[in-house]
Each structure stands twice: as C-alpha cells, then as structure tokens.
C-alpha cells in the first residue's frame, strides 16, 4: 500500500503534466491528479448523458438519493454539469422505515442537499403503502418473498410517486458500470433474456406522466465513484442494511472484482459487449411486439387495483401488498 502511494506521488498527472497524481487508472494506464480525475468523472457522465439523449432542455430531473455514495455523487455531478442549462434538479428520497439504518442516511441526504442548495423531498413506505419495511419484514411469508425484492418493488413505485409529486419528467438513479454488468449476469443466469433488452439505455417514457428513467453514471466504475466521493468530501453512508440478503449479486460482484484485478479493463469490455447484446435483444423484442399486434403499438395495460402501468392484471406492488396483508 505504502509502496503504491509512493509511486503515485512521484508521478505527475498524465493529463495536465503538472500536478502530482493521486490515482492510477489501471485500465487506461493514466496517472491522474485530483483535479483531472474529478474532471474526468464529470466529463464521462456528461458524455453518457449526451450519447443516449438522457436529458433535454427544460427537463425537471428528480434524482433518487438514498444517502449511499452512488446517489450522492450523481447529485453532485448533475449539479455541476447541468448548472445554467435550463433544467431543474430535485432530490427525492424514500424512507423505507428501517430503524437504526435509514435515519442516519436521511440526515446525510438532508444536510448534503442543504449545503448545495437542492430541494429534498421524502416519502415513506408507511405513508404510501401503509407499512414500514420493519413491519413488512415481521409479517412477510419469507419463503415467498425476499427482503430486497420486496423492498425494491416498493421503492421503484415510491420513486415514481415522488417524482410525479414534484412535477418531474425524469428520474435519475446512481447505477454504475459494476451494477450494470451484475444485472446482466443475474438476468442471464435466470434465463430472463427479455429483461436484458430492457436495460438498453435508450430513453423511453412510461407511465401516466411519461417519466423517463436515466442512469448517467452507468459507464463509470464503482471504484472511481468511491474515489470521487472521497476527494470531493461527500459524506456517505457506508453502514449496511440489516435486511440485505446474500444475493447472487454479491457473488457476481466479488467474482468481477477479482477478474478486474488480474485483467484491468475487463469490466469495461464486458460492459461494451453487453450494451450491444441489449440493443439487439431490445430491437428483436419490439419487432415481435409489432408482429403480434399486426403492426399496431400495444396499448398500455393497467393494474386493476391501483390503475398504474403493469404487464400483468395486478401489478407487483399490489400483489406484494396482498401477500403481506394476508399474513397480518
Ligand atoms: Fe432494501 Fe435490501 Fe437495500 Fe435493505 S439492502 S434497503 S432490504 S433493497
Ligand atoms: Zn397495482
């Protein structure tokens, strides 16, 4: 470790050729000083945003901020890159109701938003669904539903509702490159080919209010997001959720980290290939849809209970709630 720091400090930045470097970007071989490194992260996010037309003039962007590193970095990067560009930012936060865990992160978010002058709106599972995550964990039939899939189902709906309540037309989340590859592998191993197509970052509007979901950090390594947070003094929650299940995701994460250590850049290569696959799967999927409907775009289906968009008669939120109510 000391050895590595010594080498870094004695090298000058490959970009500005002036300042001492703080980071060796293994996959490109570049030594970067603090200023050039931070700039490179913001530049990458900006490039991703324009490559996939994620943001347009006049958008109101609701940034999903949990208090973890990815979401706080996303908020900071968007604030820096979108200043005076005719779009509005608001931070939206979901309070799942997890005692001892969520309270700390809510404070971090509140303070950070206040310090950079961005409005923060919070909604809780209790007020939206009638029960907190703590309560849901107590009553759930554990053989039928895992903590994180239940929590994720509710959180996605909560974010939509929060965004709508702010009049936002875009929801930005902090998913990074590592997340993207893990999600692909999860879908691949689950045999869920159609879902792979859904991950292609082409902006699609959905739902009653035409929300557009974007992931501006999806081409940035998780490791570099942590580094960005540290060098910009962004305080983030590092404590783990008590309900986190030992998912297949962590197994893939460890495996990919090990591979990257031996073969720097392999994650990025995987990412590029996955994008191409996702694009093809998506294109094939929409052709099939058109075929099945004789060339007519399929009409949106709605959940018969909550009346929101759903691919089934009853949406996943309503069916999960039903499962929980039966147990109480
Ligand atoms: Fe919810 Fe799982 Fe995240 Fe905990 S770790 S907040 S249960 S999704
Ligand atoms: Zn529903």
């Amino acid at each position: 470790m000391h050895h590595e720091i010594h080498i870094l400090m004695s090298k000058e930045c490959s970009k500005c050729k002036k300042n001492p470097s703080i980071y060796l970007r293994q996959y490109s071989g570049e030594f970067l000083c603090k200023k050039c490194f931070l700039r490179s992260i913001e530049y990458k996010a900006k490039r991703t945003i324009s490559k996939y037309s994620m943001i347009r003039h006049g958008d109101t962007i609701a940034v999903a901020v949990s208090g973890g590193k990815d979401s706080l970095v996303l908020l900071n990067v968007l604030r820096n890159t979108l200043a005076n560009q005719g779009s509005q930012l608001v931070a939206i936060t979901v309070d799942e109701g997890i005692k001892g865990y969520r309270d700390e992160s809510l404070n971090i978010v509140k303070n950070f938003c206040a310090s950079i002058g961005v409005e923060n709106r919070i909604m809780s599972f209790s007020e939206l669904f009638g029960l907190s995550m703590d309560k849901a964990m107590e009553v759930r039939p554990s053989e039928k539903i895992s903590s994180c899939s239940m929590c994720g189902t509710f959180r996605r709906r909560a974010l939509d509702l929060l965004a709508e309540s702010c009049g936002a037309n875009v929801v930005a989340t902090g998913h990074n490159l590592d997340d993207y590859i893990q999600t692909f592998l999860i879908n691949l191993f689950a045999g869920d080919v159609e879902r792979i197509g859904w991950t292609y970052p082409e902006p699609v509007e959905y739902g009653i209010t035409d929300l557009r979901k974007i992931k501006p950090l999806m081409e940035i390594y998780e490791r570099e997001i942590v580094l960005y947070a540290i060098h910009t003094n962004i305080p983030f929650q590092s404590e783990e959720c008590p309900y986190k299940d030992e998912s297949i995701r962590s197994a893939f994460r460890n495996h990919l980290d090990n591979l990257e250590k031996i073969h720097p850049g392999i994650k990025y290569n995987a990412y590029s290939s996955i994008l191409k696959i996702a694009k093809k799967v998506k294109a094939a999927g929409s052709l099939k849809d058109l075929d099945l409907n004789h060339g007519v775009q399929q009409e949106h289906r709605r959940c018969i209970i909550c009346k929101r968009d759903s691919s089934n008669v009853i949406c996943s939120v309503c069916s999960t709630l039903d499962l929980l109510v039966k147990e109480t």
Side-chain angles (χ1 to χ4, degrees), residues 303 306 315 318:
C303 166
C306 67
C315 75
C318 290

Side-chain angles (χ1 to χ4, degrees), residues 157 303 305-308 314-315 317-318:
R157 173 65 54 85
C303 166
I305 298 172
C306 67
K307 309 278 185 276
R308 297 184 67 92
I314 295 177
C315 75
V317 173
C318 290

Side-chain angles (χ1 to χ4, degrees), residues 96 98 101-102 125 133 137 146-152 155 240-245:
E96 295 91 345
I98 302 172
Y101 166 71
R102 208 20 119 205
F125 277 8
M133 197 47 197
M137 286 304 286
S146 85
S147 52
C148 293
S149 65
M150 177 168 74
C151 187
R155 184 168 45 253
E240 287 228 327
C241 169
Y243 301 138
K244 187 172 178 180
D245 46 28

Side-chain angles (χ1 to χ4, degrees), residues 59-76:
D59 279 343
T60 299
I61 306 155
V63 187
V65 184
S66 65
K69 60 183 184 345
D70 301 291
S71 61
L72 289 167
V73 166
L74 174 65
L75 182 61
N76 199 58

Side-chain angles (χ1 to χ4, degrees), residues 184-204:
F184 168 78
L185 291 173
I186 292 167
N187 289 329
L188 180 75
F189 280 73
D192 218 334
V193 178
E194 207 179 330
R195 259 174 210 275
I196 292 170
W198 297 353
T199 65
Y200 188 72
E202 194 174 50
V204 265

